[in-house]
Amino acid sequence: GWGKRSGATSVVLADGSIVLIGGLIYNDVWRSVDQGVNCSQMTAAAGWSARWLHTSVLLTDGSIMLMGGWDSYGVRNDVWRSTDQGATWTQQTASAAWAARRAHTSVAIGTSIWLMGGSIDGSAFNDVWCSDDLGVTWEQVTAAAGWTERAYHTTVTLPSGSIVLM
């Protein structure tokens, strides 16, 4: 039932359901409990502005986090949290310590959120940031990681807790 979109994100909840978040001109959230065969709308208008090229992660407490991205007003550095599978959202911070960006990547390790890279106005980043308090405050881990500045990349976490950036 959801319209064509690009730059959306998704997470898989502990119960195996898939949650689709935003994308291009949308600030809606959809959920599928049958591996994507059918979807139901969790909200038509989340608290965050319609956006794309943001990032989302699932924390071990089951909450979904949304960070940054691009909306019709520009690039964002806000952070939002949902504790009810994407139906409602609470702003954790309107302006995180990291520069506004799009096309970045993030991972969750336990209740820590790690945000890396991205771009704004033709410039790319190779910085790494971490939040241990549900995205309210952020600490810069490094301003210049060993990898070159980039956007549109991806990351995964290994069982050891290591982060692999590609």
Side-chain angles (χ1 to χ4, degrees):
W2 41 272
K4 295 178 183 178
R5 60 191 68 213
S6 67
T9 58
S10 57
V11 296
V12 176
L13 303 181
D15 66 3
S17 61
I18 303 166
V19 178
L20 175 74
I21 305 161
L24 197 51
I25 60 169
Y26 299 99
N27 68 334
D28 57 354
V29 179
W30 294 79
R31 181 172 173 240
S32 173
V33 297
D34 57 6
Q35 300 177 337
V37 175
N38 298 291
C39 295
S40 58
Q41 192 173 56
M42 300 301 291
T43 183
W48 35 269
S49 58
R51 67 185 66 199
W52 61 103
L53 300 176
H54 53 284
T55 188
S56 301
V57 297
L58 178 72
L59 299 181
T60 54
D61 68 359
S63 60
I64 304 169
M65 305 297 299
L66 177 145
M67 289 139 306
W70 200 2
D71 67 13
S72 59
Y73 303 104
V75 184
R76 299 282 169 214
N77 67 338
D78 53 352
V79 178
W80 293 80
R81 179 179 183 222
S82 174
T83 59
D84 57 6
Q85 303 172 332
T88 60
W89 293 82
T90 303
Q91 189 173 58
Q92 299 297 95
T93 184
S95 183
W98 38 270
R101 63 192 65 203
R102 64 179 182 248
H104 49 291
T105 188
S106 61
V107 296
I109 301 175
T111 57
S112 295
I113 306 164
W114 295 76
L115 184 138
M116 295 151 276
S119 68
I120 184 171
D121 298 329
S123 297
F125 303 104
N126 65 339
D127 54 352
V128 177
W129 294 81
C130 183
S131 174
D132 290 319
D133 61 359
L134 303 171
V136 175
T137 60
W138 292 82
E139 178 181 336
Q140 188 174 51
V141 177
T142 183
W147 38 271
T148 57
E149 297 89 353
R150 64 189 67 199
Y152 305 98
H153 52 296
T154 189
T155 49
V156 295
T157 55
L158 301 178
S160 66
S162 298
I163 300 169
V164 178
L165 181 137
M166 298 161 275

